[in-house]
Amino acid sequence: MKRNTMLITGLCAVILSTTLKQSSAASDHNQKTLMVSVTIDSIYNHQFQIIIPVTINKHFDIGSDNGDVRNRISGIKYKPIGGKYAANLYINEKTNRGVNIGGARSYSLELNKLVGWGIASSTASVASTRMVKLMQSSR
């Protein structure tokens, strides 16, 4: 009887441990599969796109060169409320010639819905658009 109790207790511990690991892995997988796509269109960046894997409540900061333009995208995405993810993003284009276009913006992102806006730089007489989309990886 004592041996059966120990066997059952051990089996329950293995099942509980496996279930907790699977639950944690599923939660991590869901968070890791979210991506933010940012597309910049200006005379310096023609349809430049970068896709960034994001995790809820974890800051990210990505830099990517496109010719003589250094693009920087940083921000944080928060837990969803009613299917909408609050996100604060900073998007910047900086050329080797000193042109610097960018700024911060708050978003209410929904999966697979494109959000965009345009900005103008008075110092460089340049217009630029930014398009942001939250999506899930197909993995």
Side-chain angles (χ1 to χ4, degrees):
M1 180 77 155
K2 185 176 182 182
R3 186 173 182 186
N4 287 343
T5 303
M6 288 177 55
L7 182 61
I8 291 171
T9 302
L11 186 58
C12 287
V14 169
I15 291 170
L16 180 60
S17 174
T18 302
T19 303
L20 289 174
K21 284 180 185 175
Q22 288 174 346
S23 175
S24 175
S27 175
D28 289 346
H29 176 72
N30 286 340
Q31 289 182 357
K32 290 179 184 175
T33 60
L34 289 173
M35 315 285 270
V36 171
S37 167
V38 176
T39 303
I40 302 170
D41 194 12
S42 72
I43 63 170
Y44 304 109
N45 278 307
H46 180 66
Q47 292 295 310
F48 173 79
Q49 182 182 43
I50 189 164
I51 298 175
I52 307 156
V54 293
T55 303
I56 292 173
N57 294 330
K58 194 169 187 179
H59 185 265
F60 61 88
D61 192 345
I62 303 292
S64 181
D65 292 334
N66 184 23
D68 76 338
V69 181
R70 179 73 177 157
N71 297 291
R72 181 172 166 224
I73 297 129
S74 63
I76 189 166
K77 179 181 62 58
Y78 300 101
K79 288 184 180 183
I81 298 174
K84 294 184 179 185
Y85 294 79
N88 296 326
L89 297 178
Y90 172 78
I91 301 171
N92 184 262
E93 305 172 79
K94 187 173 185 178
T95 70
N96 291 340
R97 293 169 280 183
V99 176
N100 191 1
I101 305 169
R105 189 169 190 134
S106 295
Y107 295 90
S108 179
L109 300 175
E110 293 180 63
L111 280 174
N112 301 314
K113 290 196 177 177
L114 200 59
V115 177
W117 82 99
I119 62 171
S121 168
S122 59
T123 58
S125 300
V126 174
S128 180
T129 60
R130 281 89 161 92
M131 303 301 285
V132 178
K133 184 176 175 181
L134 180 67
M135 53 196 176
Q136 282 190 304
S137 173
S138 57
R139 299 189 303 159

